[in-house]
Amino acid sequence: MSRTEKKIEALAREIEQKTAVLSDLNQKAKEEKRRADTRRKIIYGAAFLAYTNDLPPEKAEKAFSGIHKHITNKKDRQFLEIGDLTISK
């Protein structure tokens, strides 16, 4: 094997290793972003629930009905016992 072929082979291995490292880092960044998004949702959800506990019942009901419009997944609506989503035009 010539020197040039050895250099090509070595560079190809290095590129393969760097590509694997890059792929791992991209996956880690994606997971960190997903965890941060989940944490943000939990914090905002808990804050909203605490906020509605301090509201008079009629205002709390109005706040929840505004939020319920944004819950579109059928299983989520069943879990929260908020009924089917009615779409008004």
Side-chain angles (χ1 to χ4, degrees), residues 3 7-9 11 15 18-19 25 34 42 44 47-48 50-51 58 60 63 65 67 70 74 80 82 85-86 88:
R3 286 176 104 191
K7 285 183 180 182
I8 290 171
E9 196 173 285
L11 280 173
I15 289 170
K18 299 290 182 182
T19 302
L25 288 173
R34 183 187 52 78
I42 291 168
Y44 272 112
F48 175 77
Y51 167 74
E58 62 279 353
S65 69
I67 294 296
H70 298 280
K74 187 176 181 178
L80 296 172
I82 55 177
L85 181 64
T86 56
S88 58

Side-chain angles (χ1 to χ4, degrees), residues 57-82:
E58 62 279 353
K59 287 190 177 187
E61 186 177 323
K62 186 175 180 180
F64 274 107
S65 69
I67 294 296
H68 290 169
K69 293 175 188 175
H70 298 280
I71 301 171
T72 57
N73 184 293
K74 187 176 181 178
K75 287 185 178 184
D76 293 342
R77 294 184 70 80
Q78 288 173 343
F79 174 77
L80 296 172
E81 299 176 353
I82 55 177

Side-chain angles (χ1 to χ4, degrees), residues 17-33:
Q17 290 170 347
K18 299 290 182 182
T19 302
V21 169
L22 179 62
S23 178
D24 290 346
L25 288 173
N26 280 331
Q27 184 63 32
K28 186 175 179 180
K30 186 178 177 182
E31 289 173 10
E32 287 173 357
K33 185 178 180 183

Side-chain angles (χ1 to χ4, degrees), residues 37-53 64 67:
D37 187 50
T38 299
R39 183 174 182 199
R40 190 175 304 106
K41 289 174 185 176
I42 291 168
I43 292 168
Y44 272 112
F48 175 77
L49 292 174
Y51 167 74
T52 58
N53 283 338
F64 274 107
I67 294 296

